């Protein structure tokens, strides 16, 4: 194919071509960058089902998701998030004002990835697909 020949002539691999617009700010608004990002879920999904995929990809995606969820939790639980108080120093007013429903709404709004993950786990538990010890 002409594209592969052009890349070979430039001494560039396909992965180098894909990574360049994603790692250099200069290409942030470039149509190639926009196209890659627009179709990123299709690209990742296709890689995940490919029989020759990198065996470490699931662990890598899990690590990325974990880091993303931890950041969301830390952001919501920060002083600015309003849910940060020490149990040993909490006032009775803070304990009275604490609302699990309010906290759940805050997490849903400000930690959507983590909230979706917890929702999926709870849904699996309700369907009996995960063990509850």
């Amino acid at each position: 194919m002409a594209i592969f020949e052009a890349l070979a002539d430039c001494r560039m691999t396909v992965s180098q071509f894909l990574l360049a617009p994603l790692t250099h700010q200069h290409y942030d608004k470039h149509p190639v960058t926009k196209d890659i990002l627009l179709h990123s879920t299709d690209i990742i999904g296709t890689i995940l089902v490919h029989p020759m995929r990198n065996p470490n990809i699931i662990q890598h995606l899990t690590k990325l998701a974990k880091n993303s969820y931890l950041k969301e939790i830390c952001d919501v639980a920060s002083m600015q998030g309003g849910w940060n108080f020490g149990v040993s120093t909490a006032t009775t007013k803070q304990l009275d004002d604490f609302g699990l429903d309010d906290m759940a709404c805050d997490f849903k709004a400000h930690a959507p990835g983590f909230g979706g993950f917890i929702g999926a786990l709870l849904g699996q538990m309700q369907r009996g697909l995960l063990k509850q010890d």
Side-chain angles (χ1 to χ4, degrees):
M1 294 179 87
I3 294 170
F4 296 137
E5 290 171 11
L7 287 172
D9 288 345
C10 294
R11 292 189 173 95
M12 180 179 273
T13 66
V14 174
S15 60
Q16 289 170 327
F17 173 75
L18 289 173
L19 289 171
L22 297 172
T23 56
H24 300 291
Q25 285 183 332
H26 175 76
Y27 298 113
D28 280 354
K29 297 193 186 323
H30 194 281
V32 169
T33 305
K34 291 178 182 181
D35 184 66
I36 293 169
L37 295 173
L38 178 66
H39 298 285
S40 60
T41 55
D42 295 329
I43 294 166
I44 293 169
T46 303
I47 291 169
L48 286 173
V49 298
H50 195 280
M52 292 177 54
R53 74 173 186 262
N54 183 326
N56 297 321
I57 192 164
I58 299 296
Q59 291 85 356
H60 184 68
L61 291 173
T62 301
K63 181 180 176 182
L64 292 173
K66 179 184 77 173
N67 289 341
S68 175
Y69 298 158
L70 287 173
K71 183 181 179 335
E72 287 183 354
I73 292 167
C74 288
D75 290 347
V76 173
S78 71
M79 294 300 263
Q80 295 80 12
W83 293 107
N84 187 308
F85 63 89
V87 175
S88 62
T89 59
T91 66
T92 53
K93 179 169 177 19
Q94 285 176 311
L95 295 174
D96 287 341
D97 290 345
F98 179 81
L100 198 54
D101 289 337
D102 293 336
M103 186 178 205
C105 287
D106 241 18
F107 266 86
K108 187 175 181 180
H110 298 101
F114 179 71
F117 176 70
I118 294 298
L121 285 176
L122 292 173
Q124 295 296 311
M125 285 179 182
Q126 287 177 340
R127 288 193 277 291
L129 300 174
L130 288 177
K131 281 188 170 186
Q132 298 179 42
D133 292 330

